[in-house]
Amino acid sequence: METIRVKKLHPNAALPTYGSAEAAGADLYACLDTAVTIAPGEVFWVPTGIALEVPKGCAGLVYARSSMGAKRGLAPANKVGVVDSDYRGEIRVVLLNHSNQPQVLQPGERVAQFVITPVLTPAYEEVEELSDTVRDTGGFGSTGK
């Protein structure tokens, strides 16, 4: 098992934790001094109070917690946040309230999940033609015919 170096930027910050032994994502926690109300349609930048070292050749992906999205309408505004391996600043979760009700976010509440995954960084080469495939240029819905 790999170890990820985490720096607390605030004394009340919590390190990421896994909800179960085989969970893919580690929970990120709101590092707030007091509860915050997020109005319908409002975006709120949630501090986690931590910075961390994503391993070189990987990216950290910030995903919604399914329970927050399904039950409360709170999900990352950018759908998936990407944390590059050379970033050393605070991890923040940009939550958008998709519901029609104000949502209260409590200090220490789990706000997102963090998944570390390998990434490829290929060079891009301009060409005149691409290789042929059975699908070819069929786009949205083309494989369901």
Side-chain angles (χ1 to χ4, degrees):
M1 173 186 279
E2 179 113 18
T3 299
I4 302 299
R5 294 168 44 97
V6 181
K7 179 180 179 181
K8 279 189 169 188
L9 304 174
H10 189 281
N12 294 339
L15 270 58
T17 62
Y18 292 97
S20 70
E22 296 188 32
D27 291 324
L28 295 176
Y29 296 84
C31 185
L32 302 168
D33 293 325
T34 60
V36 171
T37 299
I38 306 172
E42 183 179 27
V43 169
F44 180 72
W45 290 69
V46 183
T48 64
I50 62 168
L52 48 77
E53 292 183 12
V54 173
K56 187 174 182 175
C58 295
L61 303 177
V62 179
Y63 289 105
R65 293 191 68 246
S66 58
S67 61
M68 287 190 80
K71 295 178 182 176
R72 297 174 58 193
L74 292 174
N78 53 342
K79 307 304 180 215
V80 177
V82 178
V83 179
D84 299 314
S85 64
D86 59 352
Y87 178 68
R88 294 295 183 267
E90 181 177 17
I91 304 299
R92 295 192 296 168
V93 179
V94 186
L95 285 183
L96 171 61
N97 182 354
H98 294 275
S99 79
N100 58 6
Q101 299 293 320
Q103 297 295 321
V104 178
L105 193 60
Q106 298 293 334
E109 186 172 348
R110 295 176 294 170
V111 292
Q113 54 184 325
F114 194 71
V115 176
I116 296 178
T117 188
V119 295
L120 299 175
T121 52
Y124 291 88
E125 172 189 16
E126 182 178 353
V127 298
E128 294 296 322
E129 295 293 328
L130 299 176
S131 60
D132 291 328
T133 68
V134 173
R135 182 177 183 176
D136 199 38
T137 60
F140 296 101
S142 66
T143 60
K145 294 180 183 175

